[in-house]
Amino acid sequence: MLSIFSNTNRAEGFKEQGNAFYSKKDYSEAFNYYTKAIDASPKNASYYGNRAATLMMLCRFREALEDSQQAVRLDDCFMKGHLREGKCHLSLGNAMAASRCFQKVLELEPSNSEAQHENKNASALLEYERMADFGFGKRDFRKVVYCMDRALVLASACHRFKILKAECLALLGRYPEAQSVASDILRMDATNADALYVRGLCLYYEDCIDKAVQFFVQALRMAPDHEKARLAARNAKALKAKKDEGNHAFKNNNYEAAYHLYTEALAIDPNNIKTNAKLYCNRATAGTKLRKLNQAIEDCSSAIKLDDSYIKAYLRRAQCYMDTEQYEEAVRDYEKVYQTEKTTDHKHLLKKAQMELKKSKRKDYYKVLGVGKNATEDEIKKAYRKRALMHHPDRHSAATPEVQKEEEKKFKEVGEAFTILSDPKKKVRYDNGHDLEDDGCFDGGGKIVFFKHLGLKCFGLGWVENFLFF
């Protein structure tokens, strides 16, 4: 009997010391003395309750939950024990269990304002969970993050909520934030399969597929039934294999096969934005080799839509625009590239596109004569003779005034074109996009200067026919 009293006294002494340290907010020392009190008197519910309160202050909620549950097992009427158990459940994200504990407190003390307030928090937590589940099903990941942020205010120690938030951040492309959350959990629990999965998911979406697979495999070692990790690992391996096949085919100049392999790779996982952006750009590159320029432009646009900072896609699209003579669009893309990366090469590409745009807005003398830009001097002369005869006003003297006016205009354009393209110096300036207005090519009245140089004043058809066959 004396031993029992002695242990009880010792336990009370330890408890008092624990209370003193708790008041000073020295929770580690308080924990040590409450533990001594429990060792001395293991059947006292209040000691477990006190140690639970200390563990809660140390954010060790799972251990605090065990102590709270032991306290109410020893004394079912221990109101503070039920209250602390409820708070631990709430902090760990178990709102239903928390609500049962707060209801028990209210049975013991109906006017307990703390239990009433915490019970409302438990109800709010349940609602956030419900909204998050609905949002995830609808792929409204922003809504899920919103709900989890608010849930974590009430359940700060809930790994499940943190993981769900991290997964949605990854699905939203907010990889650094998602990695930070997952890494925090892994520092506390290196075997957490969900955190390993999210860490792998971030790497997967950042196109680090090999590293991502390692995390998925590790998650499956920790939890062999982890279905999300299994699916992600399968997709990652399939995506890498198909992309590598496409790259191999392209390097071997098998552009048709590469094009189809990239297409198959794009169908594997629509959610992998970064990898798919590269696949679209790769397919565009194969498409240009196959002269599928319009499809290549569409693929580059798809890549840019997925990743608007993807310089390679802008450059590829700009070149396609150049090849299809869509110079305004090419200039716009090269401007975007040069604003992002001010390199000498990018500046040169932009200037070239600007020059082609300027040239495209001038009268196309090659088109006027109906010859290609690489036409020889002889081809230019023959084309001129043909077009001048075709549009000479004397040939259309019986036509309506409107037709006569139009043919006279075309006749003058043919003369202008020949004046420029038959003169090597002027042709070079024209081809290089220089202005010709100050070169003295045409007089103020619009008559063709080379006629004057030849001393010819007659514009009659007979003269023209004789002159044209020089």
Side-chain angles (χ1 to χ4, degrees), residues 242-253:
K242 195 65 69 175
K243 182 183 176 185
D244 287 348
E245 281 184 69
N247 292 345
H248 181 72
F250 186 89
K251 287 176 183 176
N252 288 327
N253 301 325

Side-chain angles (χ1 to χ4, degrees), residues 45 69-82 85 104-105 107-108:
Q69 289 173 328
Q70 179 62 18
V72 297
R73 273 195 293 269
L74 292 169
D75 182 359
D76 189 51
C77 295
F78 184 27
M79 185 269 296
K80 286 186 177 180
H82 288 294
E85 181 187 356
K104 179 67 176 180
V105 173
E107 288 174 14
L108 295 170

Side-chain angles (χ1 to χ4, degrees), residues 125 127-152 160-172 174 228:
L125 189 61
E127 180 61 15
Y128 287 133
E129 284 191 80
R130 186 195 67 76
M131 290 168 62
D133 286 343
F134 182 78
F136 195 90
K138 295 290 185 181
R139 300 187 65 80
D140 186 354
F141 302 125
R142 285 184 177 80
K143 183 64 173 269
V144 179
V145 171
Y146 171 87
C147 291
M148 288 302 95
D149 278 339
R150 277 142 191 80
L152 285 164
R160 181 166 52 89
F161 292 167
K162 291 178 181 179
I163 288 295
L164 181 56
K165 175 185 174 180
E167 182 179 1
C168 290
L169 286 170
L171 292 168
L172 289 168
R174 293 161 63 179
K228 286 183 177 181

Side-chain angles (χ1 to χ4, degrees), residues 5-49:
F5 284 127
S6 176
N7 284 344
T8 301
N9 290 336
R10 286 176 59 240
E12 279 296 306
F14 289 138
K15 186 195 81 169
E16 292 301 325
Q17 287 179 283
N19 289 347
F21 281 113
Y22 189 94
S23 298
K24 296 175 184 177
K25 298 184 179 180
D26 187 346
Y27 302 118
S28 295
E29 279 302 306
F31 171 82
N32 291 333
Y33 279 99
Y34 290 141
T35 300
K36 290 178 181 180
I38 289 170
D39 291 341
S41 181
K43 300 295 184 181
N44 189 308
S46 67
Y47 298 163
Y48 287 98

Side-chain angles (χ1 to χ4, degrees), residues 82-138:
H82 288 294
L83 186 62
R84 285 168 185 155
E85 181 187 356
K87 286 183 175 182
C88 288
H89 280 306
L90 192 63
S91 293
L92 292 167
N94 191 343
M96 293 291 288
S99 185
R100 286 194 293 269
C101 293
F102 299 138
Q103 290 292 344
K104 179 67 176 180
V105 173
L106 292 170
E107 288 174 14
L108 295 170
E109 190 178 302
S111 61
N112 190 299
S113 59
E114 190 174 6
Q116 291 171 352
H117 174 72
E118 295 294 352
N119 201 32
K120 288 180 181 179
N121 285 341
S123 297
L125 189 61
L126 283 172
E127 180 61 15
Y128 287 133
E129 284 191 80
R130 186 195 67 76
M131 290 168 62
D133 286 343
F134 182 78
F136 195 90
K138 295 290 185 181

